[in-house]
Amino acid sequence: MVPPTLLQPTGPANTAELAKRGEIKATAQKFEEQFLSIMLQQMFEGVNTSAPFGGGAGEQMFKSFMTEAMAKQMTRAGGIGLTDTISREMLKLQGLK
């Protein structure tokens, strides 16, 4: 037996609310990615590598790309919990729970 709620059409308010929730989740995830990227950049700032594998302007540029990629993967793997917390607070501000 199919529950009656599944048979009801999705109204524009429901669709708009789902879209808003998706936007909020994406925004919170991007914020956590940026936060982790900055944190990782600070962590690697004092790490120096010796020749032949390190040094120069290329290494500095690569480190920034590496920390961004690491932050993105960390966030997708669950991060440090900022995405959920930020999403919850943003939903409250929008009047959505």
Side-chain angles (χ1 to χ4, degrees), residues 67-90:
T67 56
E68 286 176 22
M70 288 172 67
K72 201 174 272 193
Q73 288 293 13
M74 288 172 68
T75 302
R76 289 192 178 133
I80 58 174
L82 286 178
T83 298
D84 293 334
T85 304
I86 293 168
S87 294
R88 224 177 3 259
E89 291 302 315
M90 289 176 73

Side-chain angles (χ1 to χ4, degrees), residues 25-95:
K25 176 88 171 174
T27 301
Q29 192 170 17
K30 286 178 186 176
F31 179 84
E32 184 170 6
E33 286 176 12
Q34 290 297 315
F35 177 81
L36 287 173
S37 178
I38 291 168
M39 188 176 78
L40 290 170
Q41 285 175 7
Q42 293 298 313
M43 183 180 80
F44 284 117
E45 193 172 290
V47 176
N48 295 320
T49 52
S50 58
F53 299 109
E59 179 184 1
Q60 288 303 106
M61 186 172 73
F62 174 75
K63 277 185 182 179
S64 71
F65 289 136
M66 183 182 71
T67 56
E68 286 176 22
M70 288 172 67
K72 201 174 272 193
Q73 288 293 13
M74 288 172 68
T75 302
R76 289 192 178 133
I80 58 174
L82 286 178
T83 298
D84 293 334
T85 304
I86 293 168
S87 294
R88 224 177 3 259
E89 291 302 315
M90 289 176 73
L91 286 169
K92 283 181 192 176
L93 291 172
Q94 295 292 320

